[in-house]
Amino acid sequence: MPTLQDVAREAGVSKMTVSNVLNGRRDRVSPATIARVMEVVTRLGYVPNASARSLSARRSNIVALAFPSRDAGGVTPMTNPHDSLFLSEVEAQVTQAGLYLMAHSVNSVESTAHSLRSWNVDGAIFLGTRADEVAALHTAYDAPMVFVDNHGTSPHISNVGIEDRLGGQLAGRRLIEAGHRRIGFVGPRFDEPGVVRERHAGFVQALTEAGLSLRPEHVVHCDAGFDHAVAAARRVLAAPQRPTAVFATADIIAAGLLKGFVRAGCPVPDQMSIIGFDDLEVARHVSPEITTLHQDIPGKARAAVEVLLTQLAHWPAARSERRVLGVSLVERESVAPPPAS
Amino acid sequence: MPTLQDVAREAGVSKMTVSNVLNGRRDRVSPATIARVMEVVTRLGYVPNASARSLSARRSNIVALAFPSRDAGGVTPMTNPHDSLFLSEVEAQVTQAGLYLMAHSVNSVESTAHSLRSWNVDGAIFLGTRADEVAALHTAYDAPMVFVDNHGTSPHISNVGIEDRLGGQLAGRRLIEAGHRRIGFVGPRFDEPGVVRERHAGFVQALTEAGLSLRPEHVVHCDAGFDHAVAAARRVLAAPQRPTAVFATADIIAAGLLKGFVRAGCPVPDQMSIIGFDDLEVARHVSPEITTLHQDIPGKARAAVEVLLTQLAHWPAARSERRVLGVSLVERESVAPPPAS
């Protein structure tokens, strides 16, 4: 059984350095040395006693990814491709940093704070929290936390997100540029600050710039599930002076609308144009393929882990950090000029 | 700060019982008592020191879900909807049992055994291992392990799977019943024992029962990714005496074939019938919707956690256990009689 001493000798560093690397005190060690030590640890099969280490170093080397449990729309957590792609990349990055990932679905702020404290995780990344939950979590739990896609306004929290508002604006502009004047909006309710509210705001801004307005009867609320969206298509078509195009706040909604429109005898894009959001695989599975706003989900995951590792290295003196990733329009097949009326 | 004593009094049990419940010695405690103790623990916000508990009880209360890292097909791990749905249900069940879930992508048997030992996880569920890796893992790591969809033949391992062979057989029979005589097979290579080999074997069996055979030129290999399958459609169509129907070993392949066939001017199901496997959401997203073999993925996840918990309760005296869940054909829109030639 190799010892700490063996690892130190083989890597040509002090035992203290090996200990610093293994116990997460990595800000004192160069990246090259970290890599060398980890290589030796793996090659020799050195097994630090993690539980003992956790007690002594007050570090568990576990970070948690907290995601929402079954939501209002009845969608099973993590089966949303956005979330599973995000998890996948977080896991890869966390493993590469020599840490462990705990996956934890979140019912409530209280039970989450309880779990995180109980397991002494070093820090946590939160997916899908509401803006108002962030403050409650900060009160209940004192450790590095990074939120994702949270549009709360507190300057004290770390957040990684994307340009949701710009995305909505680009969608609106593209449909206007194609000649549409009656454009609908389909997405979940957005009473709270969040990505849907931002995407809606950007979309309305594009209409306003063009001297248009979003008519209340052209707003159809629909949870982010395929079947919800198939059903929502009928409500779009039943609206007075029905729209000739819609902006859907998620690709899964766009895909469901597409099926609903075609079933109702309204071909896409000849009679109805659609723009989605996220650039998930589903946008390319369907025919016609869906024009959408691309966001870099693995990039967002990498940024979240980076921010968390920076926080860990400087905790408790860490400063909060906000990162915003860009979005871009991906042209596919679901946008055409409005039908001649 | 509530103490163990407080929890015991509130739940009306001894401190030893609370300790047994919290330290995973649950085979000595009735389910009703476990539920009551856990309710009180949550309500009072009792925080056992998990790291200390892990040392004393030799239990970490962590179970790992190990899944393959980036595979040969270049598919990002966990973005496969089968895996993410499985993870989601495992997480829910593990949390309900008062345990924690570590998510861990697997590069190699050695690094996996190393990680599991290092973190002293109580046990692990393995998704997507090759049959030959199982023996190596058993040698390298001595703790409860449950494999999923592994078709290795060792009687000493616990496995949860589905009736893959029957699924292939039902697919073959359905296409024959619709009148097809030239039926192709599209799926990943299957040199090793595994689900693809089983599905293929059942499919061939159905053909043989009907006095048909699977021609080598009607077998097209294709990794389980959408774009791979779009490209594979051309190879199916280019085969001599091309088939009038295909069985695809996964819905994502079926969806890609559908797009590839339609692009090449071969409408589905008028000129080509398709049956998929898994009954994932993608089978319903596309048009026509794909006829497929349903498997109960959340049920498989629940069974895997149950088997693991039974192993944990009786370790090291636990006996291995195998469970096989059924499959059923789901009729949709991608099967029709062969075109009149």
Side-chain angles (χ1 to χ4, degrees), chain A residues 10-25:
Chain A
E10 187 77 14
V13 299
S14 68
K15 286 205 291 183
M16 176 58 80
T17 299
V18 176
S19 168
N20 282 339
V21 169
L22 293 176
N23 292 313
R25 294 182 296 263

mmCIF file of all heavy atoms in Angstrom, chain A residues 10-25:
data_model
loop_
_atom_site.group_PDB
_atom_site.id
_atom_site.type_symbol
_atom_site.label_atom_id
_atom_site.label_comp_id
_atom_site.label_asym_id
_atom_site.label_seq_id
_atom_site.Cartn_x
_atom_site.Cartn_y
_atom_site.Cartn_z
ATOM 1 N N GLU A 10 8.140 10.090 -5.390
ATOM 2 C CA GLU A 10 7.968 9.822 -6.816
ATOM 3 C C GLU A 10 7.701 11.115 -7.608
ATOM 4 O O GLU A 10 8.162 11.266 -8.735
ATOM 5 C CB GLU A 10 6.793 8.845 -6.996
ATOM 6 C CG GLU A 10 6.575 8.334 -8.387
ATOM 7 C CD GLU A 10 7.573 7.245 -8.793
ATOM 8 O OE1 GLU A 10 8.270 6.692 -7.914
ATOM 9 O OE2 GLU A 10 7.651 6.968 -10.008
ATOM 10 N N ALA A 11 6.946 12.016 -7.007
ATOM 11 C CA ALA A 11 6.609 13.267 -7.716
ATOM 12 C C ALA A 11 7.692 14.324 -7.534
ATOM 13 O O ALA A 11 7.645 15.380 -8.164
ATOM 14 C CB ALA A 11 5.263 13.790 -7.224
ATOM 15 N N GLY A 12 8.655 14.054 -6.647
ATOM 16 C CA GLY A 12 9.734 15.017 -6.419
ATOM 17 C C GLY A 12 9.269 16.293 -5.732
ATOM 18 O O GLY A 12 9.723 17.394 -6.047
ATOM 19 N N VAL A 13 8.311 16.142 -4.806
ATOM 20 C CA VAL A 13 7.834 17.313 -4.056
ATOM 21 C C VAL A 13 7.771 16.947 -2.569
ATOM 22 O O VAL A 13 7.993 15.793 -2.194
ATOM 23 C CB VAL A 13 6.424 17.753 -4.528
ATOM 24 C CG1 VAL A 13 6.452 18.151 -6.011
ATOM 25 C CG2 VAL A 13 5.394 16.647 -4.300
ATOM 26 N N SER A 14 7.466 17.932 -1.743
ATOM 27 C CA SER A 14 7.380 17.675 -0.304
ATOM 28 C C SER A 14 6.047 16.984 0.036
ATOM 29 O O SER A 14 5.086 17.067 -0.722
ATOM 30 C CB SER A 14 7.477 18.981 0.476
ATOM 31 O OG SER A 14 6.318 19.756 0.232
ATOM 32 N N LYS A 15 6.012 16.321 1.193
ATOM 33 C CA LYS A 15 4.756 15.715 1.656
ATOM 34 C C LYS A 15 3.686 16.800 1.843
ATOM 35 O O LYS A 15 2.504 16.577 1.564
ATOM 36 C CB LYS A 15 4.976 14.988 2.996
ATOM 37 C CG LYS A 15 5.733 13.664 2.833
ATOM 38 C CD LYS A 15 5.422 12.695 3.959
ATOM 39 C CE LYS A 15 6.015 13.181 5.283
ATOM 40 N NZ LYS A 15 5.776 12.198 6.374
ATOM 41 N N MET A 16 4.126 17.964 2.284
ATOM 42 C CA MET A 16 3.177 19.064 2.482
ATOM 43 C C MET A 16 2.497 19.432 1.162
ATOM 44 O O MET A 16 1.295 19.693 1.120
ATOM 45 C CB MET A 16 3.925 20.280 3.056
ATOM 46 C CG MET A 16 3.068 21.527 3.228
ATOM 47 S SD MET A 16 1.635 21.257 4.308
ATOM 48 C CE MET A 16 2.427 21.386 5.919
ATOM 49 N N THR A 17 3.307 19.423 0.075
ATOM 50 C CA THR A 17 2.725 19.759 -1.236
ATOM 51 C C THR A 17 1.687 18.716 -1.660
ATOM 52 O O THR A 17 0.597 19.060 -2.120
ATOM 53 C CB THR A 17 3.838 19.870 -2.301
ATOM 54 O OG1 THR A 17 4.726 20.920 -1.908
ATOM 55 C CG2 THR A 17 3.265 20.170 -3.681
ATOM 56 N N VAL A 18 2.027 17.440 -1.469
ATOM 57 C CA VAL A 18 1.061 16.388 -1.810
ATOM 58 C C VAL A 18 -0.223 16.589 -0.998
ATOM 59 O O VAL A 18 -1.340 16.538 -1.517
ATOM 60 C CB VAL A 18 1.645 14.982 -1.533
ATOM 61 C CG1 VAL A 18 0.578 13.906 -1.800
ATOM 62 C CG2 VAL A 18 2.874 14.728 -2.387
ATOM 63 N N SER A 19 -0.028 16.862 0.274
ATOM 64 C CA SER A 19 -1.174 17.069 1.152
ATOM 65 C C SER A 19 -2.005 18.274 0.696
ATOM 66 O O SER A 19 -3.237 18.224 0.664
ATOM 67 C CB SER A 19 -0.670 17.247 2.579
ATOM 68 O OG SER A 19 -1.711 17.725 3.391
ATOM 69 N N ASN A 20 -1.308 19.346 0.309
ATOM 70 C CA ASN A 20 -2.035 20.528 -0.171
ATOM 71 C C ASN A 20 -2.874 20.193 -1.403
ATOM 72 O O ASN A 20 -4.024 20.603 -1.531
ATOM 73 C CB ASN A 20 -1.060 21.659 -0.519
ATOM 74 C CG ASN A 20 -0.564 22.385 0.734
ATOM 75 O OD1 ASN A 20 -1.201 22.319 1.792
ATOM 76 N ND2 ASN A 20 0.564 23.059 0.619
ATOM 77 N N VAL A 21 -2.271 19.418 -2.318
ATOM 78 C CA VAL A 21 -2.993 19.064 -3.546
ATOM 79 C C VAL A 21 -4.213 18.212 -3.215
ATOM 80 O O VAL A 21 -5.326 18.452 -3.698
ATOM 81 C CB VAL A 21 -2.067 18.307 -4.527
ATOM 82 C CG1 VAL A 21 -2.881 17.706 -5.684
ATOM 83 C CG2 VAL A 21 -0.985 19.231 -5.056
ATOM 84 N N LEU A 22 -4.002 17.216 -2.351
ATOM 85 C CA LEU A 22 -5.085 16.265 -2.083
ATOM 86 C C LEU A 22 -6.179 16.866 -1.217
ATOM 87 O O LEU A 22 -7.308 16.399 -1.228
ATOM 88 C CB LEU A 22 -4.521 14.999 -1.424
ATOM 89 C CG LEU A 22 -3.619 14.165 -2.335
ATOM 90 C CD1 LEU A 22 -3.041 12.986 -1.572
ATOM 91 C CD2 LEU A 22 -4.399 13.663 -3.549
ATOM 92 N N ASN A 23 -5.840 17.891 -0.469
ATOM 93 C CA ASN A 23 -6.830 18.469 0.427
ATOM 94 C C ASN A 23 -7.423 19.757 -0.100
ATOM 95 O O ASN A 23 -8.062 20.505 0.626
ATOM 96 C CB ASN A 23 -6.228 18.674 1.817
ATOM 97 C CG ASN A 23 -5.947 17.344 2.491
ATOM 98 O OD1 ASN A 23 -6.800 16.466 2.490
ATOM 99 N ND2 ASN A 23 -4.754 17.186 3.030
ATOM 100 N N GLY A 24 -7.193 20.003 -1.395
ATOM 101 C CA GLY A 24 -7.904 21.111 -2.016
ATOM 102 C C GLY A 24 -7.275 22.474 -1.760
ATOM 103 O O GLY A 24 -7.853 23.490 -2.094
ATOM 104 N N ARG A 25 -6.099 22.502 -1.146
ATOM 105 C CA ARG A 25 -5.454 23.806 -0.933
ATOM 106 C C ARG A 25 -4.565 24.097 -2.146
ATOM 107 O O ARG A 25 -3.347 24.205 -2.049
ATOM 108 C CB ARG A 25 -4.632 23.795 0.361
ATOM 109 C CG ARG A 25 -5.498 23.651 1.607
ATOM 110 C CD ARG A 25 -4.664 23.697 2.882
ATOM 111 N NE ARG A 25 -3.749 22.569 2.969
ATOM 112 C CZ ARG A 25 -3.980 21.441 3.640
ATOM 113 N NH1 ARG A 25 -5.099 21.293 4.306
ATOM 114 N NH2 ARG A 25 -3.094 20.467 3.661
#
